[in-house]
Amino acid sequence: MPAIRTGASSRQKKPPAGFEDIRDDLEIFSIKMKDAQNAPTNNIPKHQAQWPIFQIAHQRSRYVYELYYEKEAISRQLYDWLLKNGYADAMLIAKWKKQGYEKVCFEIPFLFDRLEEMEILLVFED
């Protein structure tokens, strides 16, 4: 996911109306993302160390999705601007709009947790 543009530059358009209302929440996600990226990864597999980064990106995209589609709290212009500037993942949101996909997305992590528990039990049984 591209870096979030926070500074004003001559190439960047000003955000649409309503951005100031959600700026604080997006900055909190940005701080969490920086903390996750700078977290020590000693003795942790690379794929496992990246999970917190994916989770935060997922949460940020979900936040924008809910604001636009469920709560209808932001305008279409602001929604498009957020997607264009990397505040949310458009491909992930497109999947959430499909019928039944949300249920699958949220059950998969629980299945993986359950699978890990089963593997631990198998190790102890041997």
Side-chain angles (χ1 to χ4, degrees), residues 92-125:
L92 185 58
I93 290 174
K95 297 292 184 188
W96 287 334
K97 291 191 298 187
K98 293 182 179 179
Q99 185 177 6
Y101 195 86
E102 181 178 298
K103 187 175 181 181
V104 173
C105 276
F106 289 107
E107 287 181 4
I108 288 175
F110 298 115
L111 293 174
F112 281 122
D113 290 341
R114 184 69 181 148
L115 181 62
E116 288 176 3
E117 290 174 11
M118 292 172 61
E119 288 176 357
I120 291 171
L121 291 175
L122 291 175
V123 169
F124 285 120
E125 288 177 1

Side-chain angles (χ1 to χ4, degrees), residues 7-105:
S9 68
S10 60
R11 294 177 291 162
Q12 183 179 1
K13 293 182 181 178
K14 290 185 178 180
F19 180 73
E20 293 300 322
D21 298 336
I22 62 172
R23 179 187 292 268
D24 293 337
D25 294 332
L26 295 174
E27 286 179 1
I28 290 170
F29 283 119
S30 178
I31 291 168
K32 286 181 181 180
M33 183 67 79
K34 287 180 185 176
D35 291 343
Q37 290 172 340
N38 294 329
T41 58
N42 301 340
N43 301 327
I44 299 175
K46 185 177 180 180
H47 69 278
Q48 190 175 4
Q50 293 176 344
W51 268 107
I53 296 169
F54 289 124
Q55 288 173 338
I56 294 167
H58 183 279
Q59 290 170 354
R60 185 176 57 207
S61 295
R62 187 69 190 183
Y63 174 72
V64 172
Y65 171 83
E66 287 178 355
L67 283 177
Y68 183 69
Y69 287 103
E70 294 179 5
K71 297 178 183 176
E72 298 177 1
I74 60 175
S75 66
R76 177 67 184 193
Q77 294 147 338
L78 179 56
Y79 174 73
D80 289 338
W81 187 87
L82 291 170
L83 293 179
K84 182 180 177 185
N85 288 291
Y87 285 96
D89 184 1
M91 299 300 288
L92 185 58
I93 290 174
K95 297 292 184 188
W96 287 334
K97 291 191 298 187
K98 293 182 179 179
Q99 185 177 6
Y101 195 86
E102 181 178 298
K103 187 175 181 181
V104 173
C105 276

